[in-house]
Amino acid sequence: TQDCLTERGEQPASAPVNVPVLRKDRSEAVALTTALARLHVHGSAVDWTSVFDGLEARRIDLPTYAFQRRRYWVEKSVDAAGADAGIRREVDARFWQAVEREDLESLAKELDFDDEASLRAVLPALSAYHRSSRDR
């Protein structure tokens, strides 16, 4: 599709850039970040500070030439990452199951929250939200 945006004799660098944002094989966050990166590489100004706001991201100096042989990738144990994600999914599942059943007692226990009156007030809205998003 990028080829159809370039007129005959036009330099590819001056042609408009086609950047897909929705991709069926990627999450929305990954697809959007990739699209922003492509725009940045093609000379568009991207406010990276607002993109990574709240994510504890930081800038690092990259090597000035390719032969320094120093890795800059974040090292994280695959097992630890998988275990953390699994625990989060399990906790989330218990929370949403309690919401869907409108089980006030289980929900209060999951949240370690004593004010059942407040939970009772928001539980129907949470339950409707969860059913609606699941059905979508």
Side-chain angles (χ1 to χ4, degrees):
T1 58
Q2 184 67 40
D3 294 339
C4 70
L5 295 175
T6 307
E7 294 183 24
R8 290 182 188 252
E10 185 179 12
Q11 295 297 321
S14 64
V17 179
N18 182 16
V19 180
V21 177
L22 296 176
R23 306 288 300 251
K24 70 177 182 180
D25 59 335
R26 294 185 189 148
S27 70
E28 289 179 4
V30 170
L32 181 59
T33 305
T34 302
L36 288 172
R38 285 190 64 199
L39 287 171
H40 177 78
V41 166
H42 283 82
S44 295
V46 176
D47 181 7
W48 292 110
T49 306
S50 64
V51 171
F52 292 108
D53 187 37
L55 297 178
E56 298 180 22
R58 59 186 167 82
R59 294 182 76 142
I60 61 168
D61 291 328
L62 293 176
T64 55
Y65 61 95
F67 304 107
Q68 284 183 321
R69 305 267 188 241
R70 212 170 134 200
R71 293 180 53 89
Y72 287 86
W73 303 112
V74 175
E75 301 292 337
K76 184 170 184 179
S77 166
V78 174
D79 294 338
D84 287 348
I87 291 168
R88 279 194 308 275
R89 278 193 301 271
E90 183 180 326
V91 170
D92 286 350
R94 283 196 314 259
F95 171 81
W96 287 115
Q97 286 169 358
V99 166
E100 192 165 301
R101 290 190 317 263
E102 295 191 25
D103 183 351
L104 193 59
E105 185 178 326
S106 295
L107 187 59
K109 184 179 175 185
E110 272 307 307
L111 295 173
D112 193 23
F113 192 71
D114 295 332
D115 187 4
E116 287 190 16
S118 296
L119 284 178
R120 186 175 290 113
V122 298
L123 191 54
L126 277 174
S127 183
Y129 165 79
H130 183 61
R131 279 193 297 273
S132 169
S133 62
R134 185 192 59 221
D135 291 345
R136 267 186 279 150

